[in-house]
Amino acid sequence: MREMNRALLLDMIRREATVTRADLARRSSLTKPTVSVIVDGLIADGLVREVGFSISPSKKGRRSRLLELNDSAAAFIGIHFGVRHTAIAVADARRNIRAMKVAGSLRGQPERAIETLRPLVRDTLREAKLPRTRLAGIGVAVAGLVDHASGTCVLAPNLQWYDVPIREMLAREFRVPAAVRNVMHAGAIAEGRLGAAQGVRSFAWVYVGSGIGAAIVVDGRVYYGKHGYSGELGHCTVMDNGRVCGCGRTGCLETVASGTAIEAAARASMRSPDGARASRSTRELDAHAVAVAARAGDDEARRILSRAGDYLGMGISYLLNLLNPEMVVLGGRVIQAGESLLEPVRSSVGRHAMRAEGIPILASTVEGDVMLHGAVLLAMEGDQVDDAVAGDSSWSVRAIPADAAGVAV
């Protein structure tokens, strides 16, 4: 109970610029002596500091000492193990992200990937001006199937990771608590706290990247399923006799609506009828470039996204028919195409879902790497983050730079 009260008061102080002991006692319903003892302990531990006096309504009234959170009292690290890149962010005790670094991902070498974190963490902490001794927690979002109870990455085919005990390895390496989630679940946590789904108790979060995944939030909590493998929307069949998917089946949603599929369609459209390459170079072409071109009015880019959006809407209609969520939020760099993708998605949902009326389908509003934001939240709150996915955003998390948006997919 003492630790719970301490955590409660610390969170209340974190949420305010400054606050007095009397304010804390009134808002927490704890006695003033209890509050004073806890606050004195927080000050002794360097987590909280006194910063002057409040303004008394009466000149004769006794002024109260103001308290504020010591931003530098703790450091939290979020890690996003993406297919192509690994991103690291360091946040302070007030949940402000102070520094971020990106490195290439190591496929088939999970042990080496953990080892390479050591210098990255050191350099990122130094840039954030937070000492290693202040590190209090690590959160991880990994592009694979995760048993969140044990923190094990059971399968990450694109990373070639199999049965990797990430939580155990990080706890041994850095000697702090670690929490691990699938990237989709981490993204949904961030969206519910920071993005378009703030305050929404039931929503589906769909990410369009190299593949397609989803996360389901029911009554404010992420639904993980029996082993934590829920959300594999990309491997639902949407067409007969389609292309072979990475999972070994044919006609999966990923084969026609993922970033990889969009890129393939764009490259194919740039070939002349005889199979020779068009004059325009395709070397730098990717799904994000198609999205940018569509926003600029390119007809071929819009056609490609319209077809992908039609199939994506078909997949989303499965979610609506099964779950009837309050909202659907789409994430991923492809979503930057805006209405060029969203409109065909909504139109397709209208044709395929039974009761789609009144269910908004929106683009994510979390800036930068949404999975990395989710990892930071995991670092700070651990498994308790699941108790309030649809929380408020009265605290601040500084946005990850826009030029790093979606880099670790």
Side-chain angles (χ1 to χ4, degrees):
M1 182 62 69
R2 183 165 51 248
E3 289 302 316
M4 290 178 62
N5 289 338
R6 176 184 166 95
L8 171 65
L9 294 185
L10 185 59
D11 189 59
M12 292 175 67
I13 296 170
R14 178 187 289 121
R15 291 168 181 266
E16 304 291 339
T18 57
V19 66
T20 67
R21 288 173 173 80
D23 292 331
L24 293 173
R26 183 175 64 255
R27 298 175 190 176
S28 66
S29 298
L30 298 174
T31 65
K32 290 183 178 179
T34 297
V35 168
S36 291
V37 170
I38 294 175
V39 168
D40 289 345
L42 293 173
I43 292 174
D45 291 340
L47 298 175
V48 173
R49 56 194 174 201
E50 295 179 330
V51 290
F53 295 89
S54 63
I55 299 175
S56 173
S58 169
K59 291 183 178 180
K60 296 182 180 180
R62 183 180 178 181
R63 295 193 298 169
S64 301
R65 287 186 176 273
L66 291 171
L67 307 169
E68 73 171 9
L69 185 73
N70 178 8
D71 294 356
S72 299
F76 300 92
I77 291 178
I79 303 170
H80 177 184
F81 287 114
V83 175
R84 298 172 183 169
H85 299 88
T86 294
I88 296 179
V90 172
D92 61 24
R94 201 178 283 277
R95 298 180 171 105
N96 292 315
I97 292 177
R98 292 193 178 189
M100 172 185 166
K101 289 191 179 298
V102 179
S105 291
L106 295 175
R107 300 187 184 188
Q109 305 176 68
E111 293 82 6
R112 178 61 178 158
I114 299 298
E115 290 176 5
T116 58
L117 287 177
R118 192 182 303 118
L120 282 174
V121 166
R122 181 195 62 225
D123 294 344
T124 312
L125 284 169
R126 182 183 298 124
E127 184 177 325
K129 298 181 179 179
L130 291 169
R132 169 67 177 79
T133 54
R134 299 288 174 85
L135 183 58
I138 295 176
V140 176
V142 61
L145 298 180
V146 173
D147 181 346
H148 73 283
S150 67
T152 299
C153 177
V154 178
L155 172 63
N158 291 325
L159 284 171
Q160 299 174 23
W161 291 9
Y162 308 96
D163 294 319
V164 181
I166 295 178
R167 185 174 71 186
E168 178 184 326
M169 293 168 73
L170 288 174
R172 185 169 59 246
E173 178 70 32
F174 296 101
R175 301 186 181 280
V176 295
V180 185
R181 295 292 189 278
N182 170 277
V183 287
M184 301 305 158
H185 297 147
I189 290 169
E191 197 70 51
R193 290 293 194 89
L194 309 171
Q198 286 182 50
V200 178
R201 301 290 297 174
S202 171
F203 67 92
W205 193 79
V206 179
Y207 187 83
V208 183
S210 301
I212 294 176
I216 311 302
V217 174
V218 179
D219 195 25
R221 296 176 62 90
V222 173
Y223 175 75
Y224 294 104
K226 182 177 180 180
H227 296 296
Y229 308 159
S230 67
E232 292 299 319
L233 180 65
H235 298 295
C236 291
T237 302
V238 295
M239 64 186 305
D240 295 326
N241 303 318
R243 294 180 178 178
V244 177
C245 180
C247 70
R249 298 174 178 84
T250 59
C252 290
L253 181 60
E254 281 192 6
T255 66
V256 288
S258 66
T260 302
I262 291 170
E263 178 181 335
R267 290 181 182 277
S269 74
M270 294 177 66
R271 295 178 183 272
S272 61
D274 62 1
R277 287 196 179 277
S279 59
R280 228 175 354 155
S281 172
T282 63
R283 183 174 300 174
E284 301 300 326
L285 185 63
D286 60 13
H288 179 246
V290 176
V292 172
R295 290 198 70 142
D298 185 281
D299 289 338
E300 183 63 12
R302 288 188 172 187
R303 183 193 67 78
I304 292 170
L305 288 179
S306 179
R307 181 175 184 272
D310 186 60
Y311 282 112
L312 184 59
M314 188 184 301
I316 290 173
S317 69
Y318 296 162
L319 297 177
L320 268 61
N321 288 345
L322 288 170
L323 302 168
N324 189 34
E326 299 175 52
M327 175 185 292
V328 176
V329 183
L330 302 182
R333 299 185 78 194
V334 179
I335 307 305
Q336 293 181 21
E339 291 303 312
S340 296
L341 182 66
L342 290 173
E343 193 282 326
V345 168
R346 295 186 185 116
S347 178
S348 178
V349 168
R351 295 193 307 274
H352 294 103
M354 292 184 63
R355 302 289 292 180
E357 302 86 356
I359 300 178
I361 299 176
L362 309 172
S364 171
T365 58
V366 178
E367 296 182 13
D369 186 341
V370 61
M371 283 88 162
L372 188 57
H373 275 303
V376 169
L377 289 167
L378 282 166
M380 295 183 146
E381 302 180 37
D383 292 333
Q384 293 181 1
V385 75
D386 292 322
D387 294 332
V389 171
D392 62 65
S393 59
S394 57
W395 45 267
S396 171
V397 175
R398 192 173 68 197
I400 294 173
D403 59 359
V407 70
V409 298

